[in-house]
């Protein structure tokens, strides 16, 4: 026993006597007991004397790196501690003390872009942080530091072209160029130059060289019928409207420009009359009447006229002393609404831009169209008032509050004076509204006699359209105002709350009926209200009553509607038809007598 204890003590003393550098080496006890310390060191170790020590760092599996003696997961950015330089894993490279990812970035799916190593949803503007150029996703292209979408326009149907982002009819002519400048008298054009015309030489016996030169032939006189087209008829200077057959309108327009030194600036196909309207301008200082006279004898055109001006018929009145809204009671609108409210009837208001956000009008507009194409549309008082009288549905009592209004902007107010329009804008407005399904047209404006406008109105009336227009505010001695004076239009004059005629109303045999139009409370832009007077207000009231009739009888013809309105009107005692027409309109009587329409006709 004593011998074994002494041997163990000796072994412990020998271990404690080892150098400090070998204190951390692993010591396989089985080798110690066997006395074979140098022959069985494991992998990654070597024998030094009787000890096994580590040799080199242990290799880590792919995707991991040795960090502080352990195999750690490789982060996106690896910071190497101290000054020890370790190799970066595959797919990375050293940047200072960091291992960063290299190679082609992962391809992101459509609609996403790679940002900060991840695929994120592509916003409208993709910022490029840090100035790093990243590839844009499919369907995008780089613009500076942004990826913007590449928009490919959709192809338009056959016979249409893309204009302002929308597909529309091909204009006639699609591209207009200025013709060659006309040479002065005695010269002719040869290429780009005007060359003097040299008369052929003649034998001396026939024409002696000393004969005096011939004087220039004076221009032919303008016929009175042509002078009447511009006399006392406001029109745009240097503009002419020409009506051409649709089949070969482009070729004829080009020929007119060449032969008459004109420039085509606009065109409008009019299916109602199977023709194309072309607006031409002069390129020189010739009188407009002289060009109209030359076109009058041109067999290639159907009609030619100036581009007339029209004005909205309205006057604002200050200091109103009458009760607020007297017109509905005068026309017995509350009783008529028990029978009809204009439900589903499409009516077109051809006027200025309106305030569609006004509480009285909100929700009444079924569609809208800009016939002027001159500047951005804006809300104006005249169109807002006319639309509100027809379709008011909040505090005021509209005449046809359930009608579907087609807002057609054909007038625009200037810096001074009433809103104005032209023949071309009005024809374009009627053509669009008729194609959109309008049955009744409100035309609260007046102007000169316009044969082209009358032709379009007559064509639409033959197909069932009903036109209501203001009689005009020119006064008792003014000439008839158009379009109210056309036979296919119901001309309306204005009366006050005592059923007396409006002092500024135009008189004439074309007056069909009278309606309230003096001191009328109506909506105005900006969610406010205003008082207005004029035959425009009276026309709006009659337009609303026509919508009530069409709700009860959708097949009523324009002649039948006119007969119902005039036969049921209240006739003042000893009233002049040239002032009051058939009398004061009565909405209730008109609706009650629909069943006897055949007898009235």
């Amino acid at each position: 026993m004593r011998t074994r204890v002494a041997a163990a003590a000796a072994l412990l003393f020998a271990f404690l006597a080892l150098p400090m550098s070998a204190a951390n080496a692993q010591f396989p006890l089985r080798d110690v007991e066997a006395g074979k310390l140098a022959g069985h060191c494991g992998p990654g170790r070597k024998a030094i004397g009787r000890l096994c020590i580590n040799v080199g760092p242990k290799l880590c599996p792919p995707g991991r790196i040795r960090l502080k003696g352990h195999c750690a997961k490789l982060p996106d950015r690896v910071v190497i501690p101290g000054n020890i330089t370790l190799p970066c894993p595959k797919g990375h490279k050293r940047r200072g003390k960091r291992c960063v990812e290299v190679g082609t970035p992962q391809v992101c799916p459509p609609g996403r872009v790679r940002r900060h190593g991840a695929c994120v949803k592509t916003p409208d503007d993709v910022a490029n942080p840090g100035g790093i150029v990243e590839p844009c996703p499919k369907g995008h292209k780089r613009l500076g530091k942004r990826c913007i979408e590449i928009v490919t326009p959709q192809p338009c149907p056959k016979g249409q072209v893309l204009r302002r982002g929308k597909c529309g009819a091909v204009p006639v002519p699609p591209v207009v160029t200025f013709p060659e400048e006309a040479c002065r008298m005695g010269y002719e054009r040869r290429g780009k130059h005007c060359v003097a015309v040299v008369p052929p030489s003649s034998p001396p016996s026939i024409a002696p060289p000393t004969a005096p030169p011939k004087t220039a032939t004076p221009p032919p006189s303008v016929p009175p019928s042509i002078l009447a087209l511009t006399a006392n008829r406001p029109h745009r200077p240097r503009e002419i409207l020409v009506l051409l057959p649709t089949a070969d309108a482009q070729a004829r327009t080009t020929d007119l420009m060449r032969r008459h030194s004109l420039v085509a600036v606009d065109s409008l196909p009019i299916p109602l009359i199977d023709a194309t309207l072309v607006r031409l301008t002069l390129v020189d200082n010739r009188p407009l009447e002289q060009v109209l006279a030359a076109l009058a004898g041109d067999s290639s055109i159907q009609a030619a006229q100036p581009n007339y001006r029209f004005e909205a018929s309205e006057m604002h009145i200050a200091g109103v002393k009458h009760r607020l809204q007297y017109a509905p009671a005068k026309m017995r609108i509350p009783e008529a609404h028990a029978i009809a409210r204009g439900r589903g009837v499409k009516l077109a208001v051809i006027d200025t831009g309106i305030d569609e956000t006004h509480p009285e009008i909100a929700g009444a507009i079924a569609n809208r169209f800009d016939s002027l194409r001159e500047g951005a549309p804006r809300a104006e008082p005249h169109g807002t008032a006319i639309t509100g009288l027809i379709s008011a549905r909040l505090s005021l009592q509209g005449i046809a509050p359930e009608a579907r209004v087609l807002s057609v902007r054909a007038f625009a107010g200037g810096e001074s004076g009433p809103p104005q329009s032209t023949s071309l804008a009005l024809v374009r407005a009627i053509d669009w509204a008729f194609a959109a399904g309008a049955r009744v047209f409100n035309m609260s404006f007046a102007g000169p006699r316009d044969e082209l406008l009358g032709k379009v109105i007559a064509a639409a009336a033959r197909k069932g359209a009903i036109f209501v227009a203001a009689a005009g505010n020119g006064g008792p001695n003014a000439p008839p105002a158009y379009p109210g004076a056309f036979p296919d239009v119901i001309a309306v004059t204005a009366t006050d709350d005592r059923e007396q005629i409006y002092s500024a109303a135009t008189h004439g045999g074309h007056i069909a009926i009278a309606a309230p139009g003096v001191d009328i409370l109506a909506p105005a832009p900006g969610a406010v209200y205003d008082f207005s007077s004029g035959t425009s207000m009276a026309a709006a009231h009659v337009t609303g009553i026509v919508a009530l009739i069409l709700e009860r009888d959708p097949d009523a013809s324009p002649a039948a509607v006119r007969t119902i309105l005039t036969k049921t009107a209240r006739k003042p005692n000893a009233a002049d038809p040239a002032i009051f027409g058939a009398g004061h309109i009565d909405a209730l009587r008109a609706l009650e007598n629909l069943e006897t329409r055949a007898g009235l006709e």
Side-chain angles (χ1 to χ4, degrees), residues 306-317:
N307 193 10
Y308 293 115
R309 292 184 182 272
F310 291 79
E311 294 183 351
S313 303
E314 179 193 19
M315 288 182 64
H316 288 284
I317 303 297

Side-chain angles (χ1 to χ4, degrees), residues 444-459:
S444 293
F445 54 85
R449 182 181 180 90
D450 188 332
E451 298 296 341
L452 174 62
L453 183 62
K455 186 174 184 178
V456 174
I457 290 175

Side-chain angles (χ1 to χ4, degrees), residues 302-372:
Q302 297 180 353
Q305 67 169 57
N307 193 10
Y308 293 115
R309 292 184 182 272
F310 291 79
E311 294 183 351
S313 303
E314 179 193 19
M315 288 182 64
H316 288 284
I317 303 297
V320 179
K321 300 180 181 179
H322 307 295
R323 60 186 183 274
L324 291 182
Q325 196 180 15
Y326 70 89
K330 286 288 183 182
M331 298 179 289
R332 297 208 284 178
I333 295 299
E335 296 86 350
H337 279 177
I339 302 174
R341 295 173 60 86
R343 179 175 302 172
V345 178
K346 282 188 177 182
L347 59 88
V349 177
I350 301 177
D351 217 289
T352 66
I354 67 172
D355 184 3
E356 297 187 23
T357 63
H358 197 288
E360 300 286 355
I361 302 174
I365 307 302
N367 204 347
R368 60 198 57 78
F369 177 70
D370 184 7
S371 178
L372 283 181

Side-chain angles (χ1 to χ4, degrees), residues 34 62 76 90 159 165 184 229 250 258 262 267 286 409 418 439 455 490 503 518 534 553 587:
D76 292 338
K90 186 177 181 180
R184 62 180 179 174
L229 294 177
Q250 182 173 351
R258 179 183 58 81
L262 301 171
S267 64
R286 289 173 295 168
R409 176 181 178 257
R439 283 296 315 277
K455 186 174 184 178
I490 300 174
S503 59
V518 179
D553 187 1

Side-chain angles (χ1 to χ4, degrees), residues 491-514:
V492 185
T493 191
T495 57
D496 58 17
D497 63 333
R498 296 174 298 172
E499 297 189 348
Q500 299 298 313
I501 201 70
Y502 177 44
S503 59
T506 300
H507 298 178
H510 63 287
I511 306 297
I513 203 165

Side-chain angles (χ1 to χ4, degrees), residues 115 122-128 143 145-149:
R115 295 183 64 186
T122 307
D124 294 336
D125 290 336
V126 180
N128 189 12
L143 183 63
K145 293 185 177 182
R146 298 179 301 169
C147 288
I148 60 174
E149 184 179 2

Side-chain angles (χ1 to χ4, degrees), residues 153-180:
Q154 296 295 327
C156 292
K158 186 177 181 180
Q160 296 186 359
V161 295
L162 187 67
R163 300 181 66 186
R164 297 179 181 177
K166 297 181 179 179
C167 292
V170 179
V172 181
V175 178
V176 179
T177 57
F178 281 79
E180 296 286 352

